[in-house]
């Protein structure tokens, strides 16, 4: 098997190696995005590679590397929201999420409303992987959860479905956090709805009660605090139509490694 000549991660490291952008700026990418052309170009990782060529490369390496327990990071940063604001989330937290429900709806045959215990009783997958944030940091964690594919098959996707959209409980006051992925990523065996991190219930700062682990994608696609999963054939109706909170601010929709 031949190795891909160029990967997104390589592009990323070329990007960070460029002297044009002070590292500080790059590090704060998720917080604020300066609107200079150079900065935008660096964040626009996908410009030189089409999604098709990415997929061809991925065909040679369908799973990301899973690491031994010895590689788990002693500290794993929490990024973006550390705890969703508002009474609703606080009430869920006070009740250990017993009154929380995950809605699965949109273009599905059987809309679902799942309790956390329902999700925990499904066949689980555990994986130790490296999380890569486009701000330039990585950390290794162990994630346990139910394959997203299991839940999508329970709900039954309608034939026209093209995207899976994750609606989250947090936001910045103006816009709420959401993300979307294609069906290739949605049905990937390492794409899970995680409810455990490093052998413990998923901590609040990492997205309790459930967060997405979409290992083929960069940090911001890994939505935390998911409360609704929607099957759709367009992204136009959510947020500003870009397919995600960060995409609406100009980041790439396809952010795969
Ligand atoms: N709901 C929600 N999901 C989110 C974010 C967020 O602010 N809110 N931040 C994203 C970013 S930029 C990263 S790098 C990861 C961080 O996950 P962590 O806090 O577990 O490190 O979550 C992503 N998912
Ligand atoms: Mo990130």
């Amino acid at each position: 098997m031949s190795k891909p000549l160029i990967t997104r991660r390589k592009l990323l490291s070329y990007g960070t190696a460029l002297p044009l952008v002070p590292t500080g700026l790059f590090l704060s990418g998720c917080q604020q995005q300066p609107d200079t052309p150079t900065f935008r170009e660096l964040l626009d990782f996908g410009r030189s590679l089409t999604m098709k060529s990415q997929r061809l490369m991925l065909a040679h390496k369908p799973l990301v590397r899973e690491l031994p327990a010895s590689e788990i990071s002693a500290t794993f940063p929490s990024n973006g929201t550390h705890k969703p604001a508002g009474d609703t989330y606080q009430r869920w937290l006070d009740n250990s999420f017993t009154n929380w429900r995950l809605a699965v709806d949109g273009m599905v045959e059987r809309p679902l409303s799942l309790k956390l215990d329902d999700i925990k009783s499904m066949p689980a997958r555990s994986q130790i992987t490296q999380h890569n944030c486009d701000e330039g940091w990585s950390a290794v964690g162990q994630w346990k959860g139910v394959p997203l594919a299991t839940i999508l098959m329970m709900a039954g996707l309608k034939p026209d479905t093209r995207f899976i959209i994750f609606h989250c409980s947090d936001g910045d006051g103006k816009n709420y956090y959401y993300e979307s992925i294609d069906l290739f990523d949605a049905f990937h065996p390492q794409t899970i709805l995680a409810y455990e991190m490093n052998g413990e219930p998923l901590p609040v700062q990492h997205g309790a009660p459930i967060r997405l682990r979409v290992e083929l994608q960069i940090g911001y696609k890994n939505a935390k605090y998911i409360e609704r999963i929607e099957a759709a054939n367009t992204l136009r109706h959510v947020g500003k139509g870009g397919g995600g909170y960060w995409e609406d601010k100009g980041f790439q929709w396809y952010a795969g490694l």
Side-chain angles (χ1 to χ4, degrees):
M1 260 207 271
S2 64
K3 272 195 166 173
L5 290 177
I6 188 154
T7 62
R8 264 176 204 275
R9 214 173 298 179
K10 260 198 194 136
L11 278 183
L12 202 71
S13 56
Y14 293 152
T16 46
L18 284 177
L20 298 167
V21 176
T23 327
L25 270 185
F26 212 86
L27 284 174
S28 61
C30 277
Q31 258 67 33
Q32 74 243 105
Q33 187 195 4
D35 213 8
T36 63
T38 347
F39 193 78
R40 213 166 253 287
E41 257 168 49
L42 286 181
L43 292 173
D44 210 359
F45 310 124
R47 194 174 278 171
S48 51
L49 293 170
T50 64
M51 184 149 131
K52 235 184 195 158
S53 63
Q54 292 278 344
R55 293 306 194 213
L56 276 174
M57 292 194 295
L58 282 174
H60 294 284
K61 200 180 167 196
L63 296 180
V64 306
R65 205 151 73 94
E66 294 191 15
L67 301 157
S70 57
E71 299 278 316
I72 295 173
S73 303
T75 55
F76 195 116
S78 159
N79 206 19
T81 303
H82 307 299
K83 184 186 169 196
D87 294 346
T88 309
Y89 188 82
Q90 187 59 52
R91 272 199 297 273
W92 286 334
L93 197 53
D94 290 344
N95 291 293
S96 310
F97 297 102
T98 45
N99 52 351
W100 170 92
R101 294 289 181 276
L102 173 69
V104 184
D105 58 22
M107 298 182 64
V108 296
E109 305 289 352
R110 298 168 291 278
L112 307 173
S113 173
L114 300 171
K115 295 181 192 160
L116 189 52
D117 279 347
D118 297 334
I119 296 171
K120 287 184 174 170
S121 69
M122 295 174 192
R125 187 181 208 283
S126 176
Q127 59 206 31
I128 301 174
T129 52
Q130 179 170 295
H131 174 92
N132 302 292
C133 173
D134 65 317
E135 295 175 5
W137 61 270
S138 316
V140 175
Q142 179 172 30
W143 308 98
K144 181 180 166 189
V146 58
L148 179 61
T150 305
I151 288 187
L152 296 181
M153 286 190 291
M154 272 178 75
L157 296 184
K158 292 197 173 162
D160 286 348
T161 303
R162 289 183 59 207
F163 305 106
I164 305 299
I165 306 172
F166 303 89
H167 300 264
C168 304
S169 308
D170 62 317
D172 59 16
K174 265 196 288 179
N175 302 298
Y176 77 96
Y177 202 98
Y178 77 101
E179 265 305 334
S180 61
I181 57 177
D182 62 18
L183 295 187
F184 183 99
D185 282 347
F187 283 92
H188 186 273
Q190 288 168 319
T191 298
I192 63 173
L193 294 174
Y195 49 79
E196 263 185 33
M197 178 189 190
N198 300 340
E200 305 283 337
L202 187 65
V204 168
Q205 70 267 29
H206 294 293
I210 56 159
R211 65 106 40 92
L212 181 65
R213 289 302 311 166
V214 50
E215 304 293 352
L216 294 180
Q217 296 278 340
I218 210 159
Y220 57 83
K221 287 280 188 185
N222 290 261
K224 307 194 280 188
Y225 317 110
I226 297 171
E227 56 179 57
R228 178 179 168 221
I229 297 176
E230 179 191 359
N233 63 358
T234 166
L235 298 172
R236 282 194 296 274
H237 59 295
V238 193
K240 296 196 174 79
Y245 176 86
W246 287 109
E247 289 86 335
D248 283 343
K249 295 184 190 301
F251 283 65
Q252 280 291 301
W253 179 79
Y254 183 73
L257 299 172

